């Protein structure tokens, strides 16, 4: 928006070039918002673990059956078993979800080339894999943060409004289904501003586990980014974001069970 404030054409032109370069770089190889390569164990080139991981990740990227943005797959046996979870933000379309998961697969195996366990967070999705059991368990150990350095002008009201909003969203998300635990909403700050927020858990968590994860994530705001006008907290099992503008869309309708939606209806009268 501020671009239109410049009167010089040259200035506008160079800004477009910079924007164009940024967009090009982003398309070629987007960077994670946060990532974590575990040092707890490595696999070697051409190992069974690597073959299992590759098979698992390619089954993830080629999956066309799951349409609710959560993938929990494993591949292999015993010590060579790999478990993977991919979670798309609850409001993104299936196309965006697929391409984000694809980007993550490429980027994560490149960023953590021999680690048995790794996590990468993008705006629209998260990918993690491990040789440990990771399904249906809360993990809050690895953390990534991003925040806008600008302080809210009225910190006390802002913190109070954001705290209440996140608390309500946390309750709503935790009571979601086993296919989606996601909530968005907004509230007024001191009657003339609004704050918008999003929270999400991996839907394999129970209501209590999702609640606990989000309470931990909300607690981390105090450590780093209290009073900031925008920020994100990423944990392996849940994440949250807040901004002073509406950054999320309307989530696509949640399928109750894929089978009832996709199986053809029996002919009348049978
Ligand atoms: C795994 O490899 C990394 C370097 O790539 C090294 O720092 C780390 O100590 C290794 N971990 C184990 C358990 O061997
Ligand atoms: C892995 O396999 C490829 C092709 O099969 C081979 O070229 C490469 O040398 C092998 N690497 C290791 C470390 O064994
Ligand atoms: C994901 O990557 C696979 C192969 O790497 C490709 O076939 C597929 O079209 C990609 N999907 C998206 C949505 O980009
Ligand atoms: C934001 O507020 C904190 C105190 O809460 C202060 O230490 C910091 O300097 C402020 N940052 C800016 C950019 O004003
Ligand atoms: C994968 O996730 C779905 C949806 O939350 C759940 O019903 C299923 O039990 C999970 N599978 C495993 C192996 O944990």
């Amino acid at each position: 928006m501020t671009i239109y404030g410049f009167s010089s054409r040259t200035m506008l032109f160079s800004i477009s070039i910079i924007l164009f370069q940024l967009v090009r770089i982003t398309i070629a190889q987007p960077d994670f918002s946060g990532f974590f390569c575990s040092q707890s164990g490595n696999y070697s080139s051409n190992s069974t673990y690597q073959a299992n991981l590759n098979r698992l990740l390619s089954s993830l990227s080629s999956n066309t059956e799951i349409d609710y943005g959560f993938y929990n797959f494993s591949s292999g046996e015993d010590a060579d078993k790999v478990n993977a979870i991919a979670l798309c933000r609850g409001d993104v379309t299936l196309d965006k979800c697929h391409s984000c998961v694809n980007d993550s697969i490429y980027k994560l195996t490149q960023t953590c080339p021999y680690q048995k366990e790794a996590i990468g967070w993008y705006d629209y999705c998260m990918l993690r894999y491990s040789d440990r059991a990771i399904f249906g368990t809360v993990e809050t150990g690895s953390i990534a943060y991003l925040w806008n350095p600008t302080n809210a002008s009225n910190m006390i009201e802002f913190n109070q409004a954001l705290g209440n909003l996140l608390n309500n969203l946390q309750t709503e998300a935790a009571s979601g289904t086993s296919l989606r635990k996601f909530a968005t909403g907004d509230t007024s700050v001191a009657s003339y501003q609004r704050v918008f927020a999003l929270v999400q858990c991996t839907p394999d968590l129970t209501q209590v586990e999702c609640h606990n994860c989000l309470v931990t994530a909300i607690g981390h705001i105090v450590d780093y980014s209290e009073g900031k006008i925008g920020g994100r907290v990423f944990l392996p099992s849940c994440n949250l974001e807040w901004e002073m503008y509406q950054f999320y869309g309307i989530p696509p309708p949640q399928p109750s069970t894929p089978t009832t939606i996709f199986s053809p209806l029996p002919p009348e009268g049978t």
Side-chain angles (χ1 to χ4, degrees):
M1 284 303 146
T2 46
I3 288 174
Y4 296 109
F6 292 110
S7 53
S8 149
R9 274 170 175 266
T10 330
M11 183 68 123
L12 252 179
F13 183 67
S14 24
I15 288 172
S16 337
I17 299 259
I18 293 164
L19 283 178
F20 179 71
Q21 298 282 8
L22 279 177
V23 168
R24 245 190 18 184
I25 291 164
T26 310
I27 288 166
Q29 201 184 89
D31 281 326
F32 285 125
S33 304
F35 68 89
F36 171 72
C37 307
S38 168
Q39 297 308 315
S40 65
N42 299 328
Y43 60 83
S44 46
S45 256
N46 300 344
S47 60
T48 310
Y49 193 89
Q50 184 177 46
N52 289 338
L53 178 62
N54 289 342
R55 190 176 317 116
L56 179 59
L57 295 179
S58 75
S59 74
L60 241 171
S61 74
S62 62
N63 184 291
T64 53
E65 277 150 39
I66 291 174
D67 61 355
Y68 50 89
F70 176 64
Y71 306 81
N72 49 351
F73 295 158
S74 31
S75 170
E77 302 293 329
D78 306 323
D80 290 317
K81 181 170 176 175
V82 193
N83 304 298
I85 284 179
L87 175 70
C88 287
R89 212 170 83 176
D91 60 330
V92 305
T93 59
L94 201 52
D95 273 0
K96 265 191 187 165
C97 177
H98 280 163
S99 88
C100 186
V101 170
N102 256 17
D103 286 347
S104 313
I105 290 170
Y106 173 78
K107 190 73 182 178
L108 196 55
T109 48
Q110 197 188 51
T111 308
C112 310
Y114 295 110
Q115 280 81 6
K116 286 187 172 179
E117 175 169 346
I119 309 179
W121 291 276
Y122 273 129
D123 279 355
Y124 292 150
C125 68
M126 172 208 68
L127 173 68
R128 52 190 287 230
Y129 49 77
S130 180
D131 56 335
R132 297 179 300 116
I134 55 172
F135 302 149
T137 62
V138 201
E139 298 222 0
T140 55
S142 327
I143 304 165
Y145 302 95
L146 285 177
W147 65 88
N148 186 318
T150 309
N151 287 328
S153 51
N154 38 358
M155 285 245 213
I156 293 172
E157 287 102 328
F158 181 84
N159 289 339
Q160 204 157 53
L162 179 62
N164 289 340
L165 174 62
L166 288 173
N167 247 331
N168 293 338
L169 294 178
Q170 170 267 110
T171 308
E172 185 185 333
S175 60
T177 67
S178 67
L179 302 185
R180 191 187 292 152
K181 287 189 167 58
F182 174 76
T184 55
D186 59 289
T187 191
S188 59
V189 182
S191 77
Y192 62 96
Q193 284 179 318
R194 294 197 83 72
V195 60
F196 299 80
L198 166 164
V199 307
Q200 182 166 28
C201 292
T202 61
D204 56 334
L205 299 188
T206 63
Q207 182 169 1
V208 170
E209 289 168 335
C210 177
H211 164 87
N212 290 344
C213 188
L214 287 170
V215 166
T216 304
I218 293 167
H220 283 305
I221 295 174
V222 180
D223 304 340
Y224 291 92
S225 41
E226 190 167 51
K228 303 300 175 200
I229 59 167
R232 303 191 63 178
V233 178
F234 307 94
L235 301 176
S237 291
C238 66
N239 65 81
L240 61 83
E241 175 168 6
W242 75 94
E243 307 287 353
M244 301 298 274
Y245 57 90
Q246 185 172 344
F247 58 94
Y248 49 79
I250 298 160
Q254 179 161 276
S256 41
T257 49
T259 43
T260 51
I261 285 175
F262 294 117
S263 57
L265 289 169
E268 292 278 319
T270 52

